[in-house]
Amino acid sequence: MVRSDDEPMLTGRAAGGTGPADFRERFLQGESVAAGVRPSILSSWQRSRALGLSPNQSELPFREDFEPDGRIVRAAVPVLDRLQSRFDGSEMNISVADANGTVLLRRFGRMSLARSLPAIQSVPGFVFAERSAGTNGIGLALAERQLIRVYGAEHFAERSQGSACRALPVRDPLNGRIEGVLCLGYPRSAEDPSLDHVIRKAAEAIERRLLRQNSTRERDLLQAYLDAGAQAVSGLHHSVAVDELALELRPGDRAILLEKAAELISRAQRAAIDVALPDGRSITLVSRPMTSASGVEGFAIEAVLPGPAPLGADGIPHQFDEPLGLSTLPAAAAPPLSGAVAVVAALGDPSAVPPTGHRPDATSGWSAPGAAGITTAGLDGTGGDHHPSPPPARGLVLVGEPQVGTYALAARRRLELLSEAGTRIGSTLDVRRTAQELAETAVPRLADFVTVDLPEAVLRGEEAATPLDVLHRAVVHGIRDDCPFRSVGQTVEYSPTTPQLRSLTDGQAVLEPDLNAAAGWLAQDPEHTARLLRHVHSLIAVPLVARGVVLGIVSFYRAQDSVPFEDDDRSLAQELAVRAALSLDNARCYTRERTMALALQRSLLPHGLPDHSAVDVAHRYLPAESDVGGDWYDVIPLSGTRIGLFVGDVVGHGMLSAATMGRLRTAARSFAELDFPPDEVLIHLDNLVSRLDREDPASDGAGIIGATCLYAVYDPTSQRCTMARAGHPPPALVHPDGTVSFPELPAGPPLGLGGLPFEAADLDMPEDSRVILYTDGLIEDRKRDVDAVLDQLRDTLAHSTRTPEEICQVILDTVAPAHPYDDIALLVARTHALEPHRIAVWDVPADPAVVSEVRASTTRQLADWGLDEAAFAAELLLSELVTNAIRHAAGPIRVRLLHDRTLICEVSDASDTAPHLRRAATTDEGGRGLFLVAQLAQSWGTRYTPDGKVIWAECELHGA
């Protein structure tokens, strides 16, 4: 069987070890039954046990101080009479209880059923609240504040095991407050799903009768106002409908007057305020207390248009019999009037309110002015009898009770709060900030304190494994800071009886209007809750659920000096949480995607930079706040002790940009390790980007990938740096004396345009110079001028003693934007020079006979450097390389030895043909030289120069 809200319900007693009775017994014995009992029933059982109730207790409390003829009784009697007639002859019993669970009315399908009840339950006054009777229909409907069905052994008390019931709260349609509970009780065998429809229709009928009671009170107030006007003395003032006084009032003007009138009624005090209209005019609204013949107390709001009659010292026309106290009301917009609030509104209907002294006739309109000579007047004072100084004209705007005006104000403010929530919550894609915005929106207009608890997984951008995962306090916000809530970052645990866990289990908001009576909440942590109760007294717990994903829970609290939460507040909190949950889920999904993109981005960046003698290097990568981009940097060791410095930026953000960055960085490193000059490396990268665009099916040939980059190669033997850039910002150079410059490099187009040339430039870079490479995220910002940022960077770098690490940090602290909207990649290098005594150079004639002299010179040089152990390998390497150059290349031929962390042997010539390693056949007389070089050297290769090529080989130095 399934309840109306789709909550499955087991029926029947224990049979073969299953059923509600068995689950109940197991629960009472302390076993876990969460998988077999409806959450609402289990929560009620847990609260009943926490209250110390016994399933065997038979007596219920009885109250004699209930109101036998209250509003709910007067509204329910005719409805219960009809229900009794419908169920005549059946075993149905029908009850109406008040908001405290006290039964006020009872009807039976067969009167004999009354005799089967205990004597105390056959008359009004016994209490069925959950705290007194345990799990039952009336008590659970009040606790859950919704339609409830309790079946057989789901009742906590033994006396109710043989019956079933449905119970539904009855609310005042005007304010949403629960006025009572309608309950249908019947034997378990008479279960009928159609009873859901019956009880809902009956509750709606009672609520309509409650609304008519409100309307009757309002009509009494209107009649009192009309009676007072009929007794007015002739000639004291002119009273007409406002539309007659100002026919040109626009609908917006009328709405302003109605809103201010509702606000005056809600203030429940005599007052007069001037209401400024948008066109510059002003109309005075005056509130007057009224009491009807039946004792209904309210206020009438009259509009007084400007006129020549002077006002008294208190600002009220002299016609008032007694002065009114003035009160200045805030100019904030008041709510629009609902149909239940607007007793009468003369605005927009000249016939709605008669002039004072007019009486309604029995047909349709108002009678003509009486013989006393009361006349009407237009806005300009013309028309009717002419008097030297006619007093101001007046008209009735609204009559109502203060409570009604208060409800109207509350309704408007709820709408305003939801409207603001739509624009305020979710302004960022950060989970914590979105939760904070939810709390800031709710305080103080809905709650005095708000806490938000989220699983750790949600904070990381993932889905929580279960709604009951360990929660972490993400937000604590309130009107004061002294409330002893658990602090942000702490783990928060809730027991099954707490409103928070009940709301997570049921997926609905849970209202506890009085925390002092909330047994489940009090039992959670008596010491902590006792401290909280000195500050708060009312709670609404709402789960944060979006797209079926449970994100956490928000708790709204009211302070001790505030009114308790009501059902309208619960509905508002639920709607607010739903809207906030969508923003939270967007932030969570974004966080997950950003985390993945950032992880990809970082995995594609260098994990560690090489320790190189040519430069000291430091680097930083700072992702954008909103998204991950495609910035990268790299440091590439090159032949001849040179070092390559790369920095680049792929256009766009997200996973695609990060993935594209990885492809470009890999390609850039490959091209650089082939020893291409910087401008040629950029040409190859440009071709690659163009090809990626053509191959991407989403581009449709229009080009969706773009990138900028800068490549610099520093040679410590010559202390010169060759740079080329493709649409990238120029570097900053800090010279050894501390001066800073931004060299004018050939700009070059961004990568991907295709067909355009790139140019390289050579710069002198003495030892202890510093070169700073960066992406545009460092200097470009929507709120800053690029030139001003470059000047700031210049000032920051004007210190020659900082290390690269210090330079990186100070740039991020002083130059980088506080909230970067683009990634920032930063690479700082301090240059070193290879000392001249570590470099040996010989020019070699193109004569095979000099090869032995090269070997001898090499042995002597290595002995001077203390590298005798490397002499044998170096002699063989140079012998083969020089011999190849003499045989196959053109002069001049030069040999260079570099003593760095390795021994580097170089042979240069004027030919642009490169040797190729091959495996010689057993019958070949030659072709084994390069194979021998590859075996002896740690690495070897060829690089091209403007004058030819260089073949180089590195030998490892043991113990170097």
Side-chain angles (χ1 to χ4, degrees), residues 836-869:
H837 70 271
R838 286 176 170 261
I839 305 173
V841 180
W842 305 296
D843 290 325
V844 178
D847 182 359
V850 302
V851 175
S852 60
E853 297 179 10
V854 171
R855 289 199 297 267
S857 299
T858 300
T859 302
R860 289 192 298 271
Q861 184 62 61
L862 294 181
D864 292 343
W865 286 341
L867 302 177
D868 296 298
E869 73 280 3

Side-chain angles (χ1 to χ4, degrees), residues 686-810:
D686 182 55
N687 293 334
L688 173 65
V689 172
S690 299
R691 186 167 64 253
L692 291 176
D693 255 345
R694 291 193 301 269
E695 294 173 353
D696 193 317
S699 69
D700 195 24
I704 61 172
I705 299 175
T708 66
C709 67
L710 187 152
Y711 181 38
V713 176
Y714 172 68
D715 188 345
T717 63
S718 62
Q719 300 179 42
R720 290 182 66 79
C721 185
T722 303
M723 297 185 183
R725 64 186 179 119
H728 202 82
L733 297 182
V734 183
H735 300 276
D737 60 1
T739 59
V740 181
S741 65
F742 296 94
E744 291 292 335
L745 303 179
L751 300 177
L753 296 183
L756 298 176
F758 297 93
E759 297 182 43
D762 291 332
L763 303 175
D764 289 324
M765 199 171 293
E767 185 175 14
D768 207 31
S769 298
R770 292 157 180 80
V771 56
I772 295 90
L773 310 182
Y774 51 88
T775 55
D776 57 4
L778 177 67
I779 61 174
E780 293 183 4
D781 186 79
R782 297 184 180 95
K783 300 179 181 179
R784 304 190 299 174
D785 179 71
V786 173
D787 292 334
V789 176
L790 290 176
D791 289 341
Q792 185 181 9
L793 179 61
R794 186 192 304 274
D795 296 339
T796 301
L797 295 174
H799 298 277
S800 60
T801 58
R802 287 195 178 113
T803 65
E805 282 289 342
E806 293 171 341
I807 292 175
C808 280
Q809 194 57 49
V810 74

Side-chain angles (χ1 to χ4, degrees), residues 114-200:
R115 293 190 292 271
S116 65
L117 295 173
I120 195 173
Q121 296 185 26
S122 62
V123 295
F126 62 90
V127 180
F128 254 128
E130 186 183 67
R131 63 180 177 272
S132 304
T135 306
N136 69 89
I138 292 176
L140 192 52
L142 288 172
E144 298 288 334
R145 312 180 82 84
Q146 60 182 336
L147 175 62
I148 287 295
R149 183 165 53 191
V150 183
Y151 186 91
E154 291 180 333
H155 289 86
F156 191 75
E158 295 284 356
R159 63 175 178 272
S160 302
Q161 300 292 299
S163 63
C165 65
R166 278 174 170 79
L168 179 64
V170 177
R171 305 174 187 274
D172 185 324
L174 191 58
N175 56 40
R177 181 183 294 119
I178 291 178
E179 292 287 334
V181 177
L182 174 63
C183 181
L184 302 180
Y186 44 90
R188 290 184 305 156
S189 59
E191 175 63 39
D192 185 352
S194 66
L195 291 177
D196 280 351
H197 177 74
V198 172
I199 196 170
R200 289 186 187 277

